[in-house]
Amino acid sequence: MPRFLRALSPIVLTLLLAACSTGGLGLSAGLSQRMDTQGAKLDRSTALGVVNQYRASVGAGALTEDAGLDATADQLVAQYSKSGTQPPKPAGVLDIRYSAGYFTFAETFSGWRNSPTDAPALTDKAATKAGVAAIYDPNSGYGVYWVLLLE
């Protein structure tokens, strides 16, 4: 891919995600679904698909969804919402990304991608599997909490 197109890819992805989070282009509801309601369910496959599109734009291989990592992410995000403190990275996990206060995965991903500390983890070529989770806790400080595990 020419250098110009490689540089343009993250910008286009950002615009698509921004449009998605505002209901703009009719992209997948899995990206724009608000998680700040009781019973909201994260579309993990769509979320991982966005991460994989970003990884492809920088030459990193695709991550596969891992049920065990999803289960661990579920446990960690519940702990995070109850304590308000980011739990430690589990043994064997390459990296963990946290977020809180964003209502949609599009917003969360955009925050990670634009963070100098989070973005390198998203594109770590050593990562091959992922688990992602979100939880809504109306009695917590941020409401919605997110965890992404990379292995």
Side-chain angles (χ1 to χ4, degrees):
M1 179 183 300
R3 183 183 215 164
F4 161 74
L5 290 178
R6 257 195 322 263
L8 191 58
S9 295
I11 295 167
V12 171
L13 183 59
T14 299
L15 292 173
L16 289 173
L17 287 173
C20 179
S21 67
T22 60
L25 297 176
L27 297 175
S28 171
L31 292 176
S32 60
Q33 177 185 346
R34 291 182 63 99
M35 297 300 295
D36 59 337
T37 58
Q38 292 292 31
K41 187 162 174 61
L42 175 63
D43 182 342
R44 294 178 206 248
S45 295
T46 299
L48 189 56
V50 169
V51 174
N52 281 333
Q53 285 177 349
Y54 179 59
R55 288 173 61 84
S57 77
V58 298
L63 300 167
T64 56
E65 187 174 347
D66 183 271
L69 287 174
D70 282 343
T72 301
D74 283 335
Q75 293 168 357
L76 292 172
V77 80
Q79 181 182 342
Y80 184 20
S81 73
K82 296 288 184 235
S83 70
T85 303
Q86 297 173 347
K89 179 175 73 170
V93 169
L94 181 63
D95 212 333
I96 186 168
R97 300 290 92 195
Y98 301 98
S99 190
Y102 291 115
F103 299 128
T104 68
F105 186 75
E107 294 168 334
T108 303
F109 173 76
S110 184
W112 284 333
R113 187 186 46 80
N114 290 318
S115 165
T117 55
D118 292 329
L122 295 176
T123 59
D124 186 338
K125 291 180 180 180
T128 59
K129 300 187 289 185
V132 62
I135 194 168
Y136 172 59
D137 184 345
N139 300 315
S140 67
Y142 288 102
V144 181
Y145 295 80
W146 303 84
V147 169
L148 173 68
L149 296 174
L150 302 168
E151 190 175 279

